[in-house]
Amino acid sequence: MNNLLPPDAELAAIDRELAQLDARRVYLLGRREWLLRQRIPLPWAPPAASGQPVEASGPSAQNVLLALGAVLLAVAALAFTLVSWGSLGIAGRSAVLAVVTAAALGTPALLLRRGLRSTAESVGAVGLLLTVLDAYALYAVVLPDTDGTAYAAGAAAVLAAAWAGYGSALPQLRIPLPAALLAAQLPLPLAALAAEAGPLELGWALLATAALDTALAVLVAGARPAWIPAAAWGAGALLTGISESVVAGSAADALAPAALLAAVAALGVAAAWREPRASAAALAGALAGVAALGGTARPGLDPGWAVVVYLSVALPLPAAVRVTALPASVRRGLTLAGAGVASLAALWGLAAALPPLAARLRVLEEVWAVTTPPVERYGAGAAVSVALLLTAGAAWWLARMFPSRPEPGVLAVVLGWAGLFTAPVLLGFPVAAALGAQLAVTAAAGALALRATSPGGIAAAAGAAAGAGSGPIDGRAGVAQAPALLAPSHVGIAAGVCALVGALNASLAALDGRTATFAVFGLLGVGCAAGAAYGAAPRWARYGAAALAVGYAVALAAALSAVLDLAVSWWALPVLAVAAAVAAAGPRLGLVREPAEAGAVAAGVLAVLLAVPDPPVLALVLALAGVVCTGAAVRADRRALGWAAWALFAAAAWVRLASAGVSVPEAYTLPVTVPALAVGLLRRRKDPAASSWTAYGPGLAATLLPSLVAAWGDPHWLRPLLLGLAALAVTLAGAQRRLQAPLLLGGATLAAVALHELAPYVVQVVGALPRWLPPALAGLLLLTVGATYEKRLRDARRLRTAFGRLG
């Protein structure tokens, strides 16, 4: 508490400081009260405590109140006009409305000078509403016999002009000018309705309104909202013109709609010319131009050729993309319009071409019946083909203009193929001529798929050729390895898909006659084989061609069997011969070896399925299939087929025994099992690392599996007993010697025999139990397994590890 000042001096200083603090506190409290009054002007609203959020700020609450006040005044004015009007005379009525309207329109100017903008907006809105009531009052009192629609058109024009002048005089107000814009939309359409105008006259009224809106949006700064009604009225005029053009019965009748559409086109292009972001206007204008020119030529034409006319008019439009003198918005709109019309024409063409091709599926109901009549030529056939080819040409031109975009090229290939492939059918060509033309188109699409590659794939191929030299591929000299690496382009993929669809459709058509079947299948098979051998083709194309070549060879084998009147089960032998031929070719197939062998496997499966109804034939087919797999397994890279060969041989033996009615299969299997086990034992002694599955698996399975099948159908007890004892012995031997094959095969057989013997008793016990007990036991089992899930999982892993250590 020591201080350098004397006590009296320090006391005086403290008093002065306290006085200054009191004065500052009084000032701050007064300022706080004033600020609270400014923030919450309502006398009944308590001031917000410090830190308490305010429900509504001052300006927002003020706007709500002003809006409510304006609504109440408007309601009062309406009530006065509609209800209390009759109690006053003409002079009184005019005086009241004139005074109130003048006051409502003049007050905003005074309020704006005092900075009360929100209040001025509310009062001004009431004034605008009063002008509408003035117009209604004038109609009700002075002009009651005037046509209501015509008077509304004139009143809307006067109000639009008056509101525009009012908004220009008071630019601070935001309501008058948009209100004037809305009112300006009504005069011309209402005038057309009042004059009982037809659709075309109404369309002209809509177009004139759209033109005024467009001029306002382009010429007046800040009038961008006028684009909205301009677009709406312009669309209405466009639709009106198109609807009238479509129903025109003659070229003379189509001239009037064409004039309207031409005006719409001029307005749309002019709007896009002035406004860089109005490409939609150019789009609408271009569509109107197409409809105008095509509509004059449409009367008297078939619907198909009318589509061609519209398409011919629209196709030059995408060329605008290269006319640099046009603004970007105009170029974009014209291009989109041409592309849109071409897309619609292409969809129409595809929809018209699909039914005749899909009708060929009826051939499957009766093959080689020669019942499919030639498609009758109809008027739209040539038009469909012309439309598809025209759109294909346009798409190809776009692909040349924009090489970086894959879509135009793909569309060109698909549409061109569709137009050429369906033309013979749509034009009613004879069956032979139609099939010949379609095979030529399919061959052209396949050739394009084999030769079309992407620039990236070409570069990769060049790099691979430079690094690897010109070594042979596929075991054939003179074929470079690099082209096989070519990456597929989108055009190539599209051409490949088209070739596949065309081949399948032509194959369906060929099934109607025997000669056509052999001719078409043979030509397609040879073509696919040639494509698979073409070394410069992309890998995916060669794979697909190889698989199709095997498929057509199988189809020819089946057709040959049918011609020879063989039973369906014997068809399996020629089909299996195709698989054997592919397997024999082996490494000579080169790059396409894998897809060809996959087709051979499918052919083998088909052969087995064909032979299923006849067990002796099935046994023969299984044995021959085993021979094929054995021959293929001789090669080092196909050793795994040895297991398939063993399985096929075993299955062939079992099927043959079953088909012969043998009831004691052990008499035939044991002579095979004993030597097989002896050979396996010698193999294990010579090579202890050899798997028990290789040494003992075939021999054990040769007896255990047929005996197990026989035991399940044997009602006596001797066979299951002997089989169970043998399986137990095999299981114990496998456990003692730690061998997988005896342990697993013997244990599975023993479990199956036990299940067979216990099944009748289990059924009796289950039938005697209450119905609620099995679900309860199942629930308890699930709960137990769930509670010990982790332990069971560890046990399963240990079991798998232990089993893996067996020989």
Side-chain angles (χ1 to χ4, degrees):
M1 298 299 293
N2 296 331
N3 200 319
L4 298 178
L5 293 177
D8 295 339
E10 185 178 358
L11 183 60
I14 290 174
D15 291 338
R16 287 194 300 271
E17 288 290 339
L18 290 175
Q20 292 176 1
L21 291 175
D22 290 338
R24 184 63 179 171
R25 176 178 174 79
V26 171
Y27 168 76
L28 292 176
L29 289 174
R31 182 66 180 173
R32 180 177 181 276
E33 292 294 333
W34 185 84
L35 290 175
L36 289 176
R37 287 194 301 270
Q38 292 298 319
R39 188 176 183 183
I40 305 177
L42 302 179
W44 55 83
S50 177
Q52 180 180 356
V54 181
E55 292 292 336
S57 62
S60 62
Q62 181 185 18
N63 293 334
V64 171
L65 293 175
L66 292 173
L68 289 176
V71 170
L72 292 176
L73 287 176
V75 171
L78 286 173
F80 170 77
T81 304
L82 298 176
V83 178
S84 302
W85 188 255
S87 60
L88 298 175
I90 296 179
R93 303 170 190 172
S94 302
V96 169
L97 280 178
V99 170
V100 174
T101 303
L105 295 176
T107 303
L110 300 176
L111 295 174
L112 289 174
R113 294 174 186 174
R114 302 190 61 180
L116 302 177
R117 180 176 176 178
S118 298
T119 306
E121 290 280 4
S122 301
V123 177
V126 174
L128 297 181
L129 178 61
L130 288 174
T131 57
V132 177
L133 296 178
D134 289 337
Y136 170 74
L138 181 63
Y139 171 74
V141 176
V142 181
L143 303 171
D145 298 330
T146 306
D147 181 69
T149 306
Y151 180 81
V158 173
L159 290 176
W163 291 352
Y166 183 69
S168 301
L170 297 176
Q172 298 89 338
L173 299 180
R174 293 172 293 182
I175 296 179
L177 291 179
L181 177 63
L182 292 177
Q185 310 307 311
L186 302 177
L188 294 180
L190 289 179
L193 294 176
E196 297 182 355
L200 285 177
E201 289 77 7
L202 180 59
W204 281 106
L206 298 179
L207 180 61
T209 306
L212 293 175
D213 291 332
T214 303
L216 181 65
V218 171
L219 300 177
V220 179
R224 297 191 62 84
W227 284 112
I228 299 175
W233 296 127
L238 174 62
L239 295 177
T240 301
I242 292 176
S243 61
E244 292 298 312
S245 176
V246 169
V247 299
S250 63
D253 295 337
L255 291 178
L260 176 60
L261 291 171
V264 173
L267 177 61
V269 174
W273 200 292
R274 291 297 302 270
E275 175 55 46
R277 290 176 290 183
S279 59
L283 170 62
L287 293 177
V290 171
L293 295 177
T296 56
R298 182 201 57 79
L301 295 177
D302 292 333
W305 288 110
V307 174
V308 174
V309 168
Y310 285 113
L311 178 62
S312 302
V313 175
L315 285 182
L317 293 178
V321 73
R322 298 182 59 88
V323 183
T324 57
L326 296 176
S329 57
V330 176
R331 295 200 304 268
R332 190 182 306 111
L334 296 180
T335 304
L336 291 177
V341 175
S343 300
L344 293 176
L347 291 176
W348 170 81
L350 293 175
L354 183 61
L357 298 182
R360 290 179 170 178
L361 292 173
R362 293 198 298 264
V363 176
L364 297 177
E365 298 176 357
E366 189 175 1
V367 179
W368 291 354
V370 196
T371 57
T372 303
V375 178
E376 296 182 1
R377 181 175 180 177
Y378 60 99
V384 171
S385 301
V386 171
L388 290 173
L389 294 177
L390 285 176
T391 52
W396 187 254
W397 181 84
L398 288 176
R400 299 290 299 273
M401 293 298 101
F402 304 98
S404 61
R405 301 293 301 179
E407 295 87 354
V410 172
L411 289 175
V413 171
V414 173
L415 295 175
W417 170 84
L420 294 174
F421 189 82
T422 58
V425 179
L426 295 174
L427 296 178
F429 283 13
V431 175
L435 284 176
Q438 289 181 332
L439 287 178
V441 174
T442 302
L448 179 60
L450 293 174
R451 298 183 61 86
T453 55
S454 66
I458 296 175
S470 58
I473 188 172
D474 305 347
R476 302 189 304 274
V479 180
Q481 183 175 4
L485 301 176
L486 292 179
S489 68
H490 295 84
V491 173
I493 295 175
V497 173
C498 291
L500 176 61
V501 175
L504 295 178
N505 193 268
S507 301
L508 281 175
L511 289 176
D512 196 48
R514 299 186 178 187
T515 304
T517 298
F518 285 98
V520 172
F521 283 17
L523 290 175
L524 289 175
V526 171
C528 291
Y534 183 58
R539 186 186 301 267
W540 65 271
R542 298 184 64 188
Y543 280 9
L548 285 176
V550 175
Y552 278 111
V554 171
L556 284 174
L560 181 61
S561 301
V563 169
L564 297 176
D565 291 331
L566 298 177
V568 176
S569 58
W570 286 99
W571 292 12
L573 297 180
V575 171
L576 189 61
V578 175
V582 175
R588 290 189 295 273
L589 297 175
L591 181 67
V592 298
R593 180 183 180 184
E594 292 183 359
E597 288 183 345
V601 171
V605 173
L606 176 62
V608 172
L609 294 177
L610 290 173
V612 166
D614 193 343
V617 178
L618 177 59
L620 176 61
V621 170
L622 289 172
L624 293 176
V627 172
V628 174
C629 291
T630 302
V634 173
R635 303 185 183 99
D637 55 346
R638 294 294 186 266
R639 296 294 190 202
L641 291 177
W643 291 100
W646 169 80
L648 290 170
F649 283 135
W654 299 338
V655 172
R656 189 69 186 94
L657 292 175
S659 64
V662 174
S663 60
V664 186
E666 292 82 5
Y668 299 90
T669 59
L670 285 176
V672 177
T673 296
V674 173
L677 292 178
V679 173
L681 180 61
L682 295 176
R683 171 75 182 277
R684 289 277 297 179
R685 287 181 178 179
K686 183 179 179 180
D687 183 12
S691 173
S692 63
W693 290 101
T694 305
Y696 305 120
L700 292 175
T703 294
L704 291 179
L705 295 181
S707 298
L708 179 62
V709 174
W712 271 76
D714 193 343
H716 303 289
W717 59 271
L718 182 58
R719 184 193 301 274
L721 176 61
L722 295 177
L723 180 60
L725 292 176
L728 178 60
V730 171
T731 304
L732 294 176
Q736 181 183 5
R737 299 290 183 178
R738 303 181 62 82
L739 299 176
Q740 286 186 4
L743 181 61
L744 183 60
L745 290 176
T749 304
L750 184 60
V753 171
L755 179 62
H756 173 265
E757 295 302 315
L758 294 176
Y761 304 103
V762 173
V763 172
Q764 293 178 3
V765 171
V766 171
L769 293 177
R771 294 182 180 272
W772 56 267
L773 189 57
L777 294 176
L780 289 175
L781 178 62
L782 292 177
L783 290 176
T784 304
V785 173
T788 60
Y789 176 76
E790 295 295 336
K791 183 177 181 301
R792 303 301 178 192
L793 191 60
R794 288 193 298 270
D795 294 342
R797 289 172 179 169
R798 285 197 296 268
L799 179 61
R800 182 183 62 184
T801 304
F803 188 77
R805 288 197 295 265
L806 299 179

